[in-house]
Structure formats: C-alpha cells, structure tokens
Amino acid sequence: MVFSTVLTSVPNLYLTRKPKNIHIPIRCLSSPSVSISSQSNLTQFDLKAYWATLYAEITQKLEEAIPVKYPDQIYEAMRYSVLAKGAKRAPPVMCVAAYEIFGDNRLAAFPTACALEMVHAASLIHDDLPCMDDAPERRGQPSNHKVFGDDMAILAGDALFPLGFHHIVMHTPPELVPESRLLHVIAEIARTVGSSGMAAGQFLDLKGGNTVDFIQEKKYGAMGECSAVCGGLLAGAKDDEIERLRRYGRAVGVLYEVVNDVLLSKSTEKEGTEGQEKKGKGYVRLYGIEKSMEIIEELQSKAKNELDGFEKYGDCVAPLYSFIDYAINRGFNVSDLSQ
C-alpha cells in the first residue's frame, strides 16, 4: 500500500531543520571517485529517467503476464487495476533498485517486481471496497468495485495474490537466481500481506484504537520493506544487509504516507475545504502537523542512516537515496511517466 496516494496541486513541504548531509564516496566500476551529499543526490542521479525506464519495462511485463482469457471478466478486472495509468510502480522499482546494489542483471528481479505490483494492486482493490475504506477512486480512475462490482473486485484481488507467486516461480531465470533465494522471496511476500503484515494494519485501521504507529507501519511500511528486502534476497545480499534494507524500506514507506497526510492537510487548509481527509488513522489527525513534521525528519534520517551501511557499493545506492528525497520533495509526478 506504499506510494498509493496521488496528490496534485499541493503546497511545498518545508522541514523545520535542514536535512543532515550524507557524504557517499562513489566507487562503482565505471565511475570516477566523487563525493555527493543528500542535498545534491537528485541532481546527480536522475531518478525520473531511472523510474521512467523501469516503469515502461515493468508495465510491458505486466501486460504480458495478465492476458485476457476465460473467464474474461476476472482478467479484465485484474488488468484494470494493475495496468491503470495512474499506477506508480513504486514497489517493483524499489525492488529492482535494491537488487542492483548487489546484482548485475536486473532481468533476475523483473518477475518478483511484477509480482509485487500484482500483490500491491490486489491489496488496493480490497482496501477500496465499501466494507473496508469505501474509496470511490484509485489511481486516477473509479475504484475496481465501482466498475466491476464488489463480487468481481473481490475475485480479482483473490486471483492477483496467487498469480504473483506463480509468476515468480515460473518466470525467474534459474541460472540467475537459485531456488533457495526464491523460497525466501515467496516467504517474505506471504508474511507481508498476511495477518502479521498488511492485513493486521487494515484490521486495526477499521477497528480503531490509538495504534497509529502500528497501522502506518503495517499498511504502508510493510510494502516498502518487502520491496527492498526482496531485491536484496534475489541478489544474495548478506543477512545484515537484508536487515538494513528491511529497516530502510519500512521507513520510506511510512515516510511517504506521513508526507501525504501533511500535504493533504495543508492543501485542505489552504483551500478552506472540508471532508477531504481520507478514512482511517493518520499522523496529522492524531498528532497535528507540527509533530508530524518531526516524524518526517526522524524517518528521513533513519532511512538514510541505514543506507550508510552500503557505502562500499558506491553510486549503486543512489536510487535508494533518491527515493527518500522524492518522498519529501515530489520533484515529478510519477503518473506522468505512463503518458
């Protein structure tokens, strides 16, 4: 559920303190040694171009992975959400970016990247149902159940979850990824979407209670965590590196959502409108904007500190650093990449 909210025409977000500069010596094979900071990260690394390239490649793979066949309506409902023009492809892009820190052939990560998008789309279809968040729109278009009905939306989500696992097993090149790594990837995704992961977050969001940190971590942090971890697992990262990716992905996932909350609140306040707050618990609603801004700074620092441990990999880590900056600055509209 990470990176699932589209916000347009919102005010800029200013942190109360300047972010800490992180200096990373660049030592990749084809690059000269230079030093970059978190402030110049986005200018030296073109995240938009990187994201656009992966967006096109992953979308093509997804198009091929979900052909329309009997029964047509289920597949049409699945494709409607997975191939929506407003989809950001954040989970698969983060997966590939994490893989490329340790691995040298991104084709090894594409099946898992596609599976993550399928699982992400399935979770959003179910979240939007009237019995859940009752959301009328998703990814710039009517929610799945608004077009296909509640029954077909449930079936489409149910079908996408196992399709993701099947896609990983059937399409990951065995010469690039050993079977043992695939088992860890499948277990990671299963844990993420299950009763100890995203389902738990949704449950508590529905039932209420002063558990916003747990809800945000499970609903939004879990998908970011899983995406980063799966990329590392596919490439054979060490255990301590996997744990760094886990903490990084979780922090970025929650960071993106807290920033969304603040931007939406400021936009609503500026326009003098009411009733635009989304259903469920958020940091702004519980703590207010000032405290939420402090949480944003803490999450930003936490995510960047985890990446410090990958200093030896040089500028191969640049995409993951850029995700942090993008989560706060929103330097471009990801939805435009599908145009």
Side-chain angles (χ1 to χ4, degrees), residues 26-332:
I26 306 304
R27 294 194 296 272
C28 277
L29 295 179
S30 59
S31 304
S33 291
V34 296
S35 180
I36 64 176
S37 72
S38 61
Q39 296 288 71
S40 61
N41 206 9
L42 281 180
T43 59
Q44 293 203 18
F45 177 78
D46 191 343
L47 178 63
K48 183 177 181 179
Y50 181 83
W51 203 315
T53 298
L54 284 175
Y55 189 105
E57 293 174 339
I58 291 166
T59 299
Q60 180 59 40
K61 296 292 184 182
L62 288 167
E63 176 82 33
E64 297 167 358
I66 315 176
V68 176
K69 52 187 177 182
Y70 183 82
D72 294 7
Q73 196 170 5
I74 294 179
Y75 286 95
E76 288 169 356
M78 294 161 67
R79 289 170 60 87
Y80 176 81
S81 292
V82 172
L83 300 175
K85 295 296 184 182
K88 292 182 176 63
R89 306 281 184 256
V93 171
M94 183 176 287
C95 174
V96 174
Y99 172 85
E100 290 186 318
I101 296 175
F102 316 97
D104 58 5
N105 189 338
R106 64 170 51 166
L107 292 179
F110 274 6
T112 296
C114 288
L116 288 168
E117 186 64 26
M118 294 175 192
V119 167
H120 188 211
S123 72
L124 297 178
I125 292 172
H126 285 175
D127 279 2
D128 291 342
L129 289 167
C131 62
M132 295 291 182
D133 293 347
D134 193 19
E137 294 185 358
R138 175 67 68 178
R139 292 177 163 178
Q141 62 186 22
S143 297
N144 196 291
H145 68 275
K146 290 291 186 180
V147 177
F148 298 94
D150 294 5
D151 52 357
M152 199 57 59
I154 293 171
L155 290 175
D158 287 348
L160 282 169
F161 282 119
L163 179 60
F165 294 124
H166 181 269
H167 193 73
I168 292 172
V169 173
M170 299 304 295
H171 295 279
T172 304
E175 68 275 12
L176 296 179
V177 184
E179 183 178 292
S180 59
R181 294 183 191 174
L182 287 188
L183 292 175
H184 285 297
V185 166
I186 291 171
E188 183 68 26
I189 297 174
R191 182 197 60 78
T192 297
V193 302
S195 56
S196 63
M198 286 155 50
Q202 181 66 11
F203 167 79
L204 290 172
D205 202 17
L206 290 170
K207 298 304 179 182
N210 190 16
T211 54
V212 66
D213 292 316
F214 185 86
I215 292 170
Q216 297 289 313
E217 180 179 311
K218 296 299 183 181
K219 283 195 69 172
Y220 305 109
M223 199 67 209
E225 174 184 334
C226 181
S227 301
V229 167
C230 283
L233 289 172
L234 289 167
K238 298 176 182 177
D239 289 348
D240 63 316
E241 294 171 330
I242 292 297
E243 291 310 307
R244 280 192 176 278
L245 288 173
R246 184 179 302 284
R247 293 188 293 267
Y248 161 83
R250 186 187 311 143
V252 172
V254 177
L255 170 65
Y256 195 93
E257 190 58 26
V258 180
V259 171
N260 275 349
D261 285 349
V262 171
L263 291 175
L264 184 58
S265 178
K266 287 191 172 186
S267 177
T268 302
E269 181 181 277
K270 180 179 180 181
E271 296 170 8
T273 55
E274 296 180 358
Q276 293 187 22
E277 286 186 276
K278 60 183 180 179
K279 184 178 179 181
K281 284 192 168 294
Y283 280 95
V284 173
R285 179 178 294 183
L286 187 63
Y287 298 128
I289 288 183
E290 184 175 349
K291 176 63 176 177
S292 296
M293 296 291 283
E294 293 176 6
I295 292 171
I296 287 171
E297 292 187 47
E298 291 170 5
L299 289 168
Q300 179 194 38
S301 178
K302 182 182 296 184
K304 289 189 174 182
N305 285 342
E306 294 301 337
L307 294 184
D308 282 348
F310 299 130
E311 182 179 358
K312 66 181 180 181
Y313 295 105
D315 61 2
C316 298
V317 192
L320 295 189
Y321 271 102
S322 295
F323 285 144
I324 304 171
D325 293 328
Y326 176 78
I328 297 174
N329 301 323
R330 311 295 166 93
F332 57 90

